[in-house]
Amino acid sequence: AAGVIQSPRHLIKEKRETATLKCYPIPRHDTVYWYQQGPGQDPQFLISFYEKMQSDKGSIPDRFSAQQFSDYHSELNMSSLELGDSALYFCASSSIGGGYTFGSGTRLTVV
Amino acid sequence: AQTVTQSQPEMSVQEAETVTLSCTYDTSESDYYLFWYKQPPSRQMILVIRQEAYKQQNATENRFSVNFQKAAKSFSLKISDSQLGDAAMYFCAYRSAGGSEKLVFGKGTKLTVNP
């Protein structure tokens, strides 16, 4: 069965650079979620999209932005990267009343 | 806002024995979902078991079962016949049935399985 695809798997950036993470949800899933998991932490909700519109917003820094495109894939853009942005970034997708499936995550390291 | 509390940062169990991980939550909603996720060293988030709040029957998935006490807002996970592959971080999570469908996670319990 198709799963949630995230790219890249690993990313190393320098401070003040920008990064773009991509997420391809399961076909026919209409909602995409982004989570940030710092080292030794639980995942924290950043933002979600339903049918290409932002549906909820969590603790997402102003330096971050995201969108969902017409093909339902989503991108998380992070600018002016800081050391504290080093984390595992998960994307998940779901359908109404359905299950919630996580991607394998993108490990971002800021040096 | 909903909160999820896992009071056991670490637990250990002998292989083939049974262990119970605790989770409590706070919400004013009557309809919601509760989950246990497993995160092995690979960091993949794997769904272990799901419970709908409107269902009184406790969910079961093979060796994994829950004890859902809605009035007490408690949702514990029992792992029977523990295997070495069960070693992982386990997260309890809450999701509203309406409105925002984001997951709210507990801090996690690190489970060690001893041979």
Side-chain angles (χ1 to χ4, degrees), chain B:
Chain B
Q2 294 82 22
T3 59
V4 177
T5 301
Q6 293 180 249
S7 59
Q8 306 152 316
E10 295 187 25
M11 291 283 284
S12 63
V13 63
Q14 290 297 124
E15 196 175 2
E17 306 229 318
T18 296
V19 64
T20 298
L21 308 185
S22 301
C23 173
T24 59
Y25 58 95
D26 188 28
T27 184
S28 58
E29 299 174 332
S30 59
D31 199 12
Y32 47 87
Y33 302 95
L34 295 165
F35 306 85
W36 279 98
Y37 280 91
K38 169 184 177 181
Q39 190 175 42
S42 67
R43 306 298 300 275
Q44 174 76 39
M45 291 293 284
I46 302 167
L47 177 64
V48 175
I49 201 163
R50 159 187 167 138
Q51 174 81 44
E52 289 88 349
Y54 65 86
K55 289 186 177 179
Q56 292 187 334
Q57 185 173 7
N58 289 322
T60 299
E61 286 288 340
N62 301 314
R63 297 182 295 107
F64 299 87
S65 62
V66 298
N67 183 1
F68 173 48
Q69 301 290 326
K70 191 172 183 179
K73 296 180 183 174
S74 171
F75 183 61
S76 61
L77 174 70
K78 185 171 83 171
I79 306 174
S80 304
D81 186 24
S82 296
Q83 300 176 0
L84 295 177
D86 294 334
M89 183 71 82
Y90 285 81
F91 290 99
C92 179
Y94 173 103
R95 173 184 170 189
S96 296
S100 174
E101 296 191 332
K102 68 184 180 188
L103 288 174
V104 178
F105 289 88
K107 296 299 183 186
T109 296
K110 182 179 179 181
L111 178 66
T112 301
V113 181
N114 300 310

Side-chain angles (χ1 to χ4, degrees), chain A residues 19-57:
Chain A
T20 298
L21 309 185
K22 296 184 178 182
C23 170
Y24 296 85
I26 289 175
R28 292 180 294 281
H29 276 195
D30 49 28
T31 307
V32 169
Y33 312 80
W34 286 97
Y35 291 83
Q36 177 192 58
Q37 186 179 25
Q41 303 294 316
D42 55 299
Q44 295 292 316
F45 171 71
L46 293 178
I47 196 167
S48 62
F49 293 88
Y50 169 71
E51 287 291 342
K52 294 158 280 184
M53 297 289 290
Q54 182 180 308
S55 54
D56 197 5
K57 193 173 181 180

Side-chain angles (χ1 to χ4, degrees), chain A residues 11 13-17 19 21 35-42 44 46 59-61 63-64 76 78-89 106-111:
Chain A
L11 190 58
K13 291 285 185 178
E14 294 189 354
K15 283 192 302 184
R16 293 179 289 279
E17 285 194 316
L21 309 185
Y35 291 83
Q36 177 192 58
Q37 186 179 25
Q41 303 294 316
D42 55 299
Q44 295 292 316
L46 293 178
S59 49
I60 183 170
R63 299 178 289 107
F64 293 9
L76 177 66
M78 300 178 283
S79 62
S80 302
L81 286 169
E82 302 173 356
L83 295 178
D85 296 328
S86 296
L88 187 58
Y89 291 83
T106 293
R107 184 179 298 278
L108 172 67
T109 302
V110 182
V111 298

